[in-house]
């Protein structure tokens, strides 16, 4: 693991062999598609898989741009003092690294990263360029490339790139194991954290603190919500988590963090400070049954849209509303990867994809969620999470 040998700072560095495997598969895909390179730009700490998958480092806070040629090594553009190189020893498969003093709020720096990538494309005579993660590429970045490279054909290569990252290698499954177990340990701490008199945002802060001490790389989404019995207990963001938890309340908790090494997982359950109502117990059993039905159908070749219909068919028998967002999704360096379990998803799940299945049901005066981590096998999705599937009753 070269990065760790050189810097000594990586907790769980990706091996040279694994990075080389990812790079080789991607370059072959580019060659098969007749593309000269693929370009991506990323601004998000929770959706930065396009960067970390190839560089084994997180997206910079000011954004990172990356060009992967079909032949040769990568070009990276990061924020920093004006500098072309040097390339740190931890950067593998990188030919050039540029630092530019851009900032998303500085208008004068809007095109700095794009200027570098455009110059590289022009100098190499590239004519067909793929784009990865078009929703994450800024308007100014993409516009500059198209306006200044009129002879270049741009192709959305996002589905192909996403499919490569979604099927996990054995080294990635080792990191996934760390992430899944971290989520379980965080849930084990919740009975001591959820007590009367505590604010929702304080429970959330405690979880984030523990996650950092467990070595988790990033806090994607930790959500806590509370409500009186037989009132929908919905997740709320930190800045509105100002309700004080009381005896008898229902408390819902969702944890989505990147474990040591950067792989995201997901786990959600509901707690009650006293005896749960019969309606809440019934709704959770329906959510659990829905998850089981989707998992059984989640076999290689089945699309996310087809799994969404499995969800809808299951809840129809109880008169509960259909899946109107997503009932789960693949996971990895991105907190939510494609494919998604959603009506409009046409991409298919494949063996050795890592996903969450999280039916969220609002009915019977309650909200219930059963969210766990799974691995796709030929027989369906196998649950990896060991946390009991139940409403947790806290005696206070």
């Amino acid at each position: 693991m070269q990065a760790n040998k050189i810097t000594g700072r990586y907790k769980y560095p990706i091996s040279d062999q694994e990075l080389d495997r990812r790079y080789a598969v991607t370059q072959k895909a580019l060659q098969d598609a007749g593309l000269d390179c693929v370009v991506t730009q990323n601004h998000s700490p929770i959706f930065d898989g396009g960067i970390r998958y190839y560089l084994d480092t997180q997206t910079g806070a000011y954004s990172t741009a990356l060009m992967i040629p079909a032949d040769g090594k990568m070009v990276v553009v990061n924020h920093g003092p004006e500098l072309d190189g040097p390339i740190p020893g931890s950067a593998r498969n990188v030919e050039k690294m540029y630092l530019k003093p851009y900032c998303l709020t500085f208008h004068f720096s809007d095109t700095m990263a794009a200027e570098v990538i455009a110059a590289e494309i022009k100098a190499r005579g590239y004519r067909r360029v793929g784009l990865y993660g078009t929703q994450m590429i800024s308007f100014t970045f993409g516009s500059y490339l198209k306006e200044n490279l009129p002879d270049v054909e741009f192709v959305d290569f996002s589905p192909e790139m996403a499919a490569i990252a979604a099927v996990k290698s054995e080294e990635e499954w080792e990191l996934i194991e760390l992430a899944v177990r971290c989520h379980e340990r965080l849930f084990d701490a919740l009975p001591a954290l959820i007590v009367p008199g505590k604010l929702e945002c304080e429970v959330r802060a405690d979880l984030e603190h523990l996650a950092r001490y467990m070595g988790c790389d990033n806090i994607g989404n930790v959500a806590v919500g509370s409500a009186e019995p037989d009132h929908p207990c919905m997740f709320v963001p930190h800045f509105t988590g100002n309700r004080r938890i009381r005896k008898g309340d229902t408390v819902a908790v969702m944890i989505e963090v990147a474990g040591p090494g950067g792989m995201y997982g997901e786990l959600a359950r509901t707690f009650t400070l006293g005896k749960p109502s019969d309606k809440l117990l019934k709704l959770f059993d329906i959510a659990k049954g829905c998850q089981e039905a989707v998992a059984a159908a989640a076999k290689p070749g089945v699309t996310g849209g087809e799994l969404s219909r499995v969800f809808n068919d299951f809840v129809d028998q109880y008169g509960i509303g259909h899946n109107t967002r997503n009932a789960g999704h693949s996971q990895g360096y991105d907190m939510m990867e494609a494919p998604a379990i959603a009506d409009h998803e046409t991409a298919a799940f494949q063996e050795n994809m890592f996903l969450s299945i999280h039916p969220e049901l609002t009915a019977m005066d309650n909200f219930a969620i059963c969210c766990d981590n799974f691995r796709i096998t030929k027989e369906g999705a196998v649950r990896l999470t060991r946390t009991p599937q139940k409403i947790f009753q806290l005696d206070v």
Side-chain angles (χ1 to χ4, degrees):
M1 297 185 180
Q2 183 183 4
N4 213 38
K5 290 178 182 176
I6 292 172
T7 68
R9 288 190 171 273
Y10 280 49
K11 297 193 299 293
Y12 292 91
I14 296 300
S15 70
D16 293 345
Q17 292 79 10
E18 172 63 13
L19 281 183
D20 290 345
R21 180 198 67 81
R22 297 173 183 177
Y23 201 56
V25 171
T26 302
Q27 288 192 312
K28 184 179 185 306
L30 289 171
Q31 294 163 10
D32 290 345
L35 295 174
D36 296 310
C37 71
V38 64
V39 172
T40 190
Q41 184 197 36
N42 198 285
H43 307 77
S44 172
I46 63 173
F47 298 117
D48 74 340
I51 302 298
R52 186 158 188 176
Y53 190 75
Y54 298 99
L55 297 180
D56 194 25
T57 187
Q58 294 180 330
T59 292
Y62 293 84
S63 84
T64 298
L66 179 67
M67 185 183 82
I68 301 174
D71 183 42
K73 295 187 177 182
M74 293 179 283
V75 176
V76 183
V77 188
N78 262 327
H79 166 85
E82 189 86 33
L83 186 65
D84 298 348
I87 300 171
S90 58
R92 290 160 284 174
N93 294 320
V94 174
E95 178 185 2
K96 296 181 181 180
M97 181 172 289
Y98 297 89
L99 299 180
K100 296 291 178 182
Y102 56 75
C103 180
L104 302 181
T105 55
F106 294 168
H107 178 65
F108 70 82
S109 70
D110 282 352
T111 63
M112 283 183 176
E115 290 170 18
V116 172
I117 297 299
E120 289 287 342
I121 291 172
K122 188 176 293 185
R124 298 163 188 243
Y126 291 165
R127 290 291 178 263
R128 296 192 77 236
V129 173
L131 299 174
Y132 179 32
T134 53
Q135 290 196 71
M136 291 180 277
I137 295 174
S138 72
F139 180 82
T140 51
F141 187 96
S143 296
Y144 185 91
L145 293 185
K146 289 194 171 185
E147 291 169 5
N148 289 272
L149 298 168
D151 298 327
V152 172
E153 177 190 0
F154 290 94
V155 178
D156 186 1
F157 203 55
S158 302
E160 292 82 356
M161 297 279 282
I164 289 170
V167 177
K168 303 302 188 283
S169 69
E170 285 309 307
E171 186 167 329
E172 289 166 337
W173 281 111
E174 292 175 7
L175 298 178
I176 288 168
E177 173 75 9
L178 294 174
V180 172
R181 303 311 160 213
C182 277
H183 283 75
E184 293 170 351
R185 292 198 298 274
L186 287 168
F187 257 80
D188 289 344
L190 279 166
L193 302 179
I194 299 173
V195 294
K198 205 164 191 175
L199 295 173
E200 297 158 325
C201 63
E202 292 173 336
V203 176
R204 176 174 177 156
D206 287 341
L207 284 170
E208 292 181 356
H209 180 78
L210 286 172
R212 290 297 190 191
Y213 266 93
M214 288 180 184
C216 292
D217 277 7
N218 201 42
I219 307 298
N221 173 42
V222 175
V224 178
S226 65
E228 297 175 1
D230 285 337
H231 288 72
C233 180
M234 313 299 291
F235 304 119
V236 297
H238 191 74
F239 67 92
T240 59
N242 200 41
R243 184 180 183 276
R244 202 169 292 281
I245 297 168
R246 297 187 291 268
K247 188 174 181 179
D249 277 353
T250 301
V251 179
V253 179
M254 163 77 81
I255 302 175
E256 294 175 89
V257 297
M263 291 288 169
Y264 274 96
E266 188 170 357
L267 178 57
R269 293 287 188 271
T270 299
F271 296 78
T272 59
L273 280 74
K275 185 177 179 181
S277 72
D278 291 340
K279 289 189 287 187
L280 176 60
L281 291 171
K282 182 178 180 180
L283 188 61
F284 180 81
D285 282 343
I286 295 171
K288 178 175 175 288
C290 184
Q291 185 198 70
E292 291 170 348
V294 172
K299 298 178 181 179
V302 176
T303 69
E306 290 170 333
L307 289 183
S308 186
R309 287 190 284 278
V310 172
F311 176 107
N312 294 339
D313 290 344
F314 186 88
V315 297
D316 272 346
Q317 60 188 313
Y318 301 100
I320 294 174
H322 284 184
N323 174 29
T324 57
R325 190 176 72 99
N326 74 78
H329 47 81
S330 181
Q331 303 174 115
Y333 289 129
D334 289 328
M335 191 174 77
M336 299 168 66
E337 289 183 347
I341 302 172
D343 286 348
H344 302 290
E345 179 64 272
T346 58
F349 287 92
Q350 302 298 333
E351 189 174 2
N352 288 324
M353 284 185 176
F354 176 52
L355 74 153
S356 66
I357 305 177
H358 53 66
E360 302 175 32
L361 307 181
T362 302
M364 308 176 194
D365 301 320
N366 280 278
F367 168 80
I369 180 172
C370 186
C371 173
D372 294 281
N373 299 294
F374 290 80
R375 180 173 184 166
I376 297 286
T377 72
K378 292 177 182 178
E379 289 74 35
V382 175
R383 189 167 73 99
L384 305 178
T385 304
R386 298 180 299 203
T387 300
Q389 293 181 302
K390 66 176 186 178
I391 301 294
F392 286 80
Q393 179 179 335
L394 306 179
D395 296 319
V396 295

